[in-house]
Amino acid sequence: KYSAGGSPAGAASNGAEQHAGGGAGAAGGGAEDGTTEAEHNSYQEEVFDEHSDFFASPQATPPELVPRMQRIAAACKLTARTNVLDAATGAGALLSFYVAEGCPLSMVTGVDISEGMLSHARRKFPEANFYKSDVLKFTGPMGGRYDRVVFNACFGNFFDQVLLLRHVATRLVNPGGLVVISHPLGRKWLEGLRSKDPRMVRHLLPSRAELEELAARSAPTLRLVAFDDEDEYYCAVLQLSEP
């Protein structure tokens, strides 16, 4: 998909790990290999539809990842009144962790390009709202915006990260809201992931300097406010400036 991914744990299965979402390759714009955005999205959709049963299974989030998922949800700084856009939600890997942080499912919207993934998410979390869409094409119902936009285990899969962050800043996140880019397996793990399927994983998760440059190119109103880049954990938080 544009970058669906939604589940962190391809590491739990040799057969599916290359489809977990994430990235390697320079952070930034679209393809330099002649691939069109439509071709890229079609491939993403096909792969994640095919592997949706794995991503919906307990094996997709093994126990060792739970504390890292809890850290990611905590970094979102949620309350009962925070409305969340879970981008490339997949089978909804983060949704139960949002609830544990005090955010009800009724305040969560999941978007994904894979109907196979969404079918699992809808069954597991019927109180949440789900839409089949490329995030880059998505706008909230009646033009509504979100307090949090979260890209977990998926940011490297998007076709054009510059256009993506620009769309988030101008159409999706509220002023003062947060954009969270995370992966519970870390940046180094994703470098190996791309070697197995560079068609799926187009970009690296950016370093601090790369993310600041990417934000400046995409939307100068996005400011990096937190950045954790550990061997087995990655979480960056940007904030949209108030008018």
Side-chain angles (χ1 to χ4, degrees), residues 5-9 20 55-57 60-62 65-78 84-112 117 120-122 124-125 128 130 148-155 178-185 233-237:
S7 173
F55 285 113
S57 72
T61 308
L65 290 190
V66 169
R68 300 175 218 169
M69 299 289 275
Q70 292 169 332
R71 285 181 67 186
I72 291 166
C76 296
K77 301 185 182 301
L78 304 173
V84 178
L85 177 63
D86 196 50
T89 189
L94 265 180
L95 269 64
S96 61
F97 297 95
Y98 295 151
V99 172
E101 287 293 316
C103 180
L105 288 173
S106 60
M107 298 295 287
V108 178
T109 297
V111 175
D112 204 286
M117 299 284 260
H120 287 291
R122 291 187 183 106
K124 189 172 183 180
F125 304 105
F130 295 102
R148 306 290 182 267
V149 178
V150 183
F151 296 94
N152 181 57
C154 66
F155 191 66
L178 302 180
V179 179
V180 178
I181 300 168
S182 61
H183 202 299
L185 291 169
Y233 178 81
Y234 180 97
C235 187
V237 181

Side-chain angles (χ1 to χ4, degrees), residues 1 9 15 19 21 31 34-35 55 59 63 68 71 86 92-93 143 156 160 171 184 190 193 222 232 235-236 240-241:
K1 7 191 149 200
H19 308 301
T35 302
F55 285 113
Q59 290 75 23
R68 300 175 218 169
R71 285 181 67 186
D86 196 50
D160 190 320
R171 301 294 299 274
L190 293 174
L193 197 62
L222 282 176
E232 296 183 329
C235 187
L240 186 68
S241 301

Side-chain angles (χ1 to χ4, degrees), residues 3 19 31 40 49 52 86 101 127 135 153 156 176 178 196 209 232 239:
S3 52
H19 308 301
H40 173 75
D49 279 349
S52 61
D86 196 50
E101 287 293 316
E127 302 95 335
V135 177
L178 302 180
K196 298 176 181 180
E232 296 183 329
Q239 185 171 37

